[in-house]
Amino acid sequence: MGSHVKIFTYGCQMNDLDTQKMFSELARGGMVRTEDTREADVIIINTCSVRQKAYEKTLSNLGRLSSLKKRNPGLIIVVAGCVAQQEGAALVERMPHVDLVIGTHQLHRIRELIEKASREPAPIVVTDFSDAIPFMDLIPDGDFVTPGHRASINIMQGCNNFCSYCIVPYVRGRELSRDASRIIEEVQIHASRGVKEVFLLGQNVNSFDGGMSFPGLLREIDAIEGIERIRFTTSHPKDVSEELIACFGSLKTLCSHLHLPFQAGSNRVLKAMNRHYTKERYLDLIERLRQARPDIAFSADVMVGFPGETHEDFLQTLDIMERVRFDVLYSFRYSTRPGTRAASRLDDVPFEEKSERLYELQRRQKEITLENNRMRVGTCLDVLVDSVGTRCPGQVRGRSTHNTVVNLPGDESLVGTIVQVLVTRANANSLTGELAS
Ligand code: SAH
Ligand code: SF4
Ligand code: F3S
């Protein structure tokens, strides 16, 4: 087996975590992480397929590696993640320089399969789905948890929702929850290493079913000594229960932030997307969450140009934005994904129209984000400091409970601590402050 490994990562936090775990697992086998492609003996591309653009990026990056492989025939090229799962053997037909295609349920075999690929000339393709995902139980070593005071933890994988535009259920499989006792054990290990914030990950965390409910799991983690903050993603509005809302009222460690994708504002479009809620129900949820936790901040995902979306429909999306006033909004142009239900519909909103809607939405969101930031000037926020400023010496940065980036004067000694910060300035995407006395 080669000794240096480089991993390119695309896609969501789930993929970031899978990358950390792959590094950790390969290091256990004696491999060393490198950032330099030319130095690498193994290159892994951890891929995302959620939008056409992400998919194309993966393929063009992969194409570029072909010349590297010609110069260095011993190089092992691995494709992991969602494109690997989607394409399987078709990928090695198009890209003969690929040595290993490893699907989303098989990552626990990464070490063994790389060793096999280094012995065998023929490409290996392993993309079976299974009814257990052992990789979820792998706990990355301390060195691979970045930054060290915050840890991402897989609580479930897969999705049963089949939103009509979405490829995730096809590439991650059906929902599989990890056993709650394993999750709690992992949180305890992180806490003993000094981790203060845990970030629970799953495509659809509200339907967690690992021996207790999701709110039950939150209460258990809340009670673990040393854990001061809990975040989670992603939630589906149709599955936000009374019990979860109550957690925002009762659990002090639960951060005042919820990522709650709404995707579209028009009920007609939401129905065609198979989302199972209406605009009214979404706004009602936001209201009830605000009652439980008055300072809660929201972020969301939204897309423009779903097949059949009219300008009137789009105005409903803008209306949700005006009413909720998200801190952060991740916005995308709809793109057709193969095999999904929406793929059988004509992608009839012209690209220019999608771009105009996206531009309008992002322009307005920028203003709202700044207005939200301005409202926080003069207030005191708890900030978990996570790093020393790279561009501004003498500055550190961290995040407030709302997940807003806060910069303040300070040094290394503050990293990993939660400090009280008086906010002095609002910026486009962050706040500036100083230590409160
Ligand atoms: N499980 C999460 C995230 C899914 S993917 C959830 O349910 O919210 C992240 C985001 O990508 C989605 O929320 C959606 O806004 C966007 N997305 C998914 N499929 C898409 C498509 N075909 N075109 C454009 N955006 C898409
Ligand atoms: Fe995709 Fe919908 Fe599942 Fe999210 S809930 S992963 S958008 S199918
Ligand atoms: Fe992309 Fe797969 Fe995540 S498709 S968004 S990397 S689950």
Side-chain angles (χ1 to χ4, degrees):
M1 168 140 85
S3 56
H4 284 86
V5 57
K6 157 91 189 165
I7 309 185
F8 291 94
T9 312
Y10 299 98
C12 59
Q13 288 109 333
M14 197 76 78
N15 262 17
D16 288 340
L17 179 57
D18 283 344
T19 290
Q20 278 180 30
K21 290 184 177 193
M22 281 193 269
F23 272 132
S24 185
E25 179 61 10
L26 294 173
R28 286 171 196 171
M31 296 198 75
V32 179
R33 172 184 191 159
T34 178
E35 284 312 315
D36 183 355
T37 315
R38 287 160 309 178
E39 188 190 28
D41 308 286
V42 176
I43 296 179
I44 303 175
I45 311 210
N46 194 7
T47 59
C48 173
S49 183
V50 80
R51 284 171 292 278
Q52 180 72 21
K53 225 167 146 185
Y55 172 81
E56 280 162 6
K57 231 193 214 157
T58 301
L59 290 197
S60 68
N61 193 346
L62 200 51
R64 276 203 297 277
L65 295 181
S66 137
S67 56
L68 208 61
K69 176 88 176 182
K70 281 202 190 94
R71 272 181 276 141
N72 174 11
L75 175 68
I76 306 279
I77 297 180
V78 182
V79 185
C82 295
V83 174
Q85 187 65 46
Q86 180 194 339
E87 299 269 303
L91 202 58
V92 291
E93 273 163 38
R94 285 173 67 181
M95 306 265 176
H97 57 289
V98 170
D99 300 284
L100 169 63
V101 177
I102 181 165
T104 54
H105 285 203
Q106 300 296 331
L107 292 177
H108 59 288
R109 297 178 61 196
I110 186 83
R111 227 159 97 184
E112 162 215 333
L113 290 172
I114 287 176
E115 274 166 25
K116 194 166 169 212
S118 67
R119 291 191 306 266
E120 288 176 15
I124 302 170
V125 177
V126 183
T127 55
D128 309 299
F129 273 149
S130 108
D131 45 20
I133 308 176
F135 204 57
M136 283 207 279
D137 283 326
L138 188 140
I139 303 174
D141 289 327
D143 289 357
F144 295 96
V145 182
T146 43
H149 60 273
R150 179 194 230 207
S152 297
I153 297 174
N154 222 179
I155 66 162
M156 64 180 303
Q157 198 177 141
C159 183
N160 296 348
N161 288 327
F162 291 93
C163 301
S164 62
Y165 50 80
C166 185
I167 202 166
V168 171
Y170 304 91
V171 290
R172 290 274 174 172
R174 291 300 71 71
E175 284 172 6
L176 276 173
S177 294
R178 218 174 138 191
D179 200 34
S181 60
R182 288 282 178 88
I183 298 168
I184 290 163
E185 210 179 300
E186 177 169 356
V187 176
Q188 282 162 339
I189 290 173
H190 286 300
S192 72
R193 290 171 179 170
V195 163
K196 295 207 162 88
E197 179 174 309
V198 288
F199 189 20
L200 309 177
L201 297 182
Q203 269 88 17
N204 189 25
V205 293
N206 302 113
S207 45
F208 173 79
D209 182 24
M212 60 178 75
S213 68
F214 182 59
L217 182 68
L218 291 177
R219 288 191 292 266
E220 291 281 333
I221 297 176
D222 176 71
I224 294 174
E225 180 85 26
I227 297 302
E228 300 190 33
R229 286 181 165 191
I230 307 175
R231 300 184 189 281
F232 58 85
T233 204
T234 296
S235 288
H236 193 301
K238 81 174 163 55
D239 297 321
V240 173
S241 62
E242 279 309 322
E243 207 186 341
L244 181 66
I245 296 174
C247 286
F248 280 97
S250 62
L251 300 184
K252 283 225 321 265
T253 59
L254 195 55
C255 285
S256 295
H257 169 234
L258 181 62
H259 182 69
L260 195 61
F262 69 99
Q263 312 299 1
S266 146
N267 287 340
R268 201 176 60 82
V269 174
L270 285 170
K271 190 151 199 267
M273 286 178 164
N274 195 33
R275 290 289 288 179
H276 297 284
Y277 55 85
T278 59
K279 177 184 174 192
E280 293 71 27
R281 151 113 176 129
Y282 184 86
L283 292 172
D284 179 56
L285 269 179
I286 297 282
E287 187 52 42
R288 284 189 286 143
L289 284 154
R290 282 199 166 125
Q291 274 164 17
R293 180 73 70 89
D295 77 327
I296 193 167
F298 294 102
S299 61
D301 298 344
V302 61
M303 71 183 83
V304 295
F306 184 80
E309 185 189 69
T310 63
H311 192 74
E312 279 303 303
D313 292 322
F314 173 62
L315 293 179
Q316 298 296 318
T317 293
L318 292 181
D319 190 49
I320 288 203
M321 286 167 57
E322 294 301 333
R323 287 167 191 263
V324 180
R325 302 183 63 80
F326 299 96
D327 269 15
V328 178
L329 196 54
Y330 301 93
S331 48
F332 314 102
R333 284 183 206 93
Y334 167 78
S335 64
T336 306
R337 307 310 298 125
T340 60
R341 261 176 42 205
S344 63
R345 298 185 56 172
L346 189 64
D347 184 8
D348 59 354
V349 181
F351 186 83
E352 295 70 37
E353 182 67 37
K354 285 179 188 165
S355 301
E356 271 170 36
R357 288 179 197 173
L358 195 63
Y359 178 81
E360 171 63 15
L361 182 155
Q362 291 178 344
R363 188 194 59 76
R364 182 60 191 130
Q365 182 55 45
K366 239 179 167 163
E367 292 170 355
I368 295 175
T369 301
L370 185 60
E371 285 158 19
N372 285 358
N373 285 345
R374 284 198 178 125
M375 304 254 289
R376 296 191 176 121
V377 173
T379 65
C380 262
L381 298 176
D382 284 341
V383 173
L384 173 54
V385 179
D386 56 41
S387 56
V388 180
T390 42
R391 273 172 301 173
C392 332
Q395 293 269 317
V396 293
R397 75 172 20 196
R399 281 180 189 264
S400 74
T401 178
H402 317 105
N403 214 25
T404 314
V405 171
V406 183
N407 296 293
L408 63 142
D411 60 26
E412 187 76 43
S413 66
L414 293 181
V415 174
T417 65
I418 294 181
V419 292
Q420 275 244 311
V421 177
L422 174 67
V423 179
T424 53
R425 203 176 71 215
N427 314 307
N429 292 306
S430 65
L431 298 170
T432 304
E434 55 198 38
L435 278 180
S437 47

